[in-house]
Amino acid sequence: MISKSIYEILPSVYLMLGSSSVIWNDNSLGLLGGALLFILGAVIWVMRSNYRRTDEHKLPSKSFTLPETLYEFVPFLFIGLGLSLLSQFSQLPIYIVAAVCLYRGTQLLYLRHRHRNFAWDNNNKRKSRSSAHANR
């Protein structure tokens, strides 16, 4: 059995290894392997994130909404687009667009992370709750 600390960081490791393979690999097999590793990391991240969701799922009041499956992968689509732009082009405007995509994808992941209960946060949350409760 795999230890909990390794288990928790595996999706992040898959995402980082896939990203680095896409950016620094020139052959098509390396790009394909990196893309598959990135997609695998994203799928595992979304599955764990949905399982640990603490906010209640509400139907949005907007007239147009993305399907739930696509919605969950939007941050990874932004990050993947930014990484592919960085690896394929070398003009300044493309770098700016890639940076904006990477920023937005990271921002969306952070916002979702705030509403999901990840194991590496559990100890900190418990400590802050118990110290707040003890101060009363």
Side-chain angles (χ1 to χ4, degrees), residues 98-109:
V100 169
C101 287
L102 290 170
Y103 172 75
R104 182 63 178 154
T106 306
Q107 180 188 34
L108 288 173
L109 278 180

Side-chain angles (χ1 to χ4, degrees), residues 22 24 39 43 97 100 127:
V22 166
W24 290 309
I39 290 168
V43 168
V97 171
V100 169
K127 287 177 187 176

